[in-house]
Amino acid sequence: MMRGPDDVALHFSDDASRTATKHPLAVLFHLAFRALALLVYLMCGWFSNSFISCFVTIIIFLSLDFWTVKNVTGRLLVGLRWWNYVDDEGKSHWVFESRKIVVIVALILNGANLYGYLRCRVKGTDKFSSAISSMMGKQMISNMFSSLWKKPEQPPPARSFTNTV
């Protein structure tokens, strides 16, 4: 059997080497803190009846996850990082670094999530477009007119203390 120039032979044994990450330890910590927070949330009632200890443990794991994603895995795995600094004049500056294709993919995936959540909320395709337009319309009209009719705050009237005899 002759193969044409567009035919490609697939070698499935090579797939394992292509999918291996360059930073397996970063992936491990990226998943570990989230998994630990979820496990503590699900199983905390079995080990402790104290809401405070469960809450604090979950917050610690989620904080470690936030720090790891912001400072390590975001930079190593997908090329995203951000930080804030304050200059000598006291002005705050935000710095964002990213690869261009990552931002596009993130926007598409977040848009798909938003679409799915909104569609679940209205529970049907017939009402979906009318519900979205009414929610967006109500929110925009509310925001526009609330600033127009908002009365400026006035200080309370000065109290005069008179001595009555």
Side-chain angles (χ1 to χ4, degrees):
M1 175 192 287
M2 301 268 314
R3 291 188 177 181
D6 293 335
D7 290 340
V8 177
L10 298 175
H11 301 288
F12 292 106
S13 62
D14 292 342
D15 286 345
S17 64
R18 286 187 209 148
T19 59
T21 180
K22 293 179 183 178
H23 307 284
L25 193 59
V27 172
L28 174 72
F29 281 105
H30 181 77
L31 297 174
F33 292 130
R34 292 172 187 218
L36 287 171
L38 183 62
L39 282 173
V40 169
Y41 175 75
L42 294 174
M43 299 185 173
C44 196
W46 292 358
F47 301 110
S48 172
N49 289 331
S50 171
F51 171 78
I52 304 275
S53 63
C54 294
F55 181 80
V56 169
T57 305
I58 292 168
I59 293 299
I60 288 171
F61 283 133
L62 290 177
S63 299
L64 290 170
D65 174 59
F66 174 80
W67 183 88
T68 303
V69 169
K70 179 190 173 298
N71 295 312
V72 181
T73 61
R75 180 177 49 86
L76 292 177
L77 300 178
V78 294
L80 295 174
R81 64 182 175 168
W82 59 271
W83 64 90
N84 181 8
Y85 71 93
V86 179
D87 63 11
D88 294 335
E89 297 173 0
K91 187 175 179 185
S92 178
H93 297 277
W94 286 90
V95 180
F96 302 94
E97 291 183 358
S98 66
R99 296 181 193 147
K100 291 181 183 177
I101 189 71
V102 173
V103 174
I104 293 169
V105 170
L107 288 174
I108 290 170
L109 293 176
N110 282 318
N113 271 339
L114 178 63
Y115 176 77
Y117 289 138
L118 291 175
R119 196 154 176 190
C120 287
R121 182 176 176 133
V122 296
K123 295 182 181 148
T125 58
D126 298 337
K127 300 183 227 173
F128 181 68
S129 62
S130 63
I132 295 299
S133 62
S134 70
M135 281 193 296
M136 296 284 286
K138 287 178 186 176
Q139 184 65 34
M140 286 191 296
I141 290 171
S142 157
N143 287 343
M144 270 192 317
F145 289 114
S146 68
S147 63
L148 292 176
W149 287 308
K150 187 176 182 180
K151 292 182 181 179
E153 293 183 19
Q154 296 178 358
R159 296 177 118 184
S160 61
F161 294 100
T162 58
N163 291 335
T164 56
V165 181

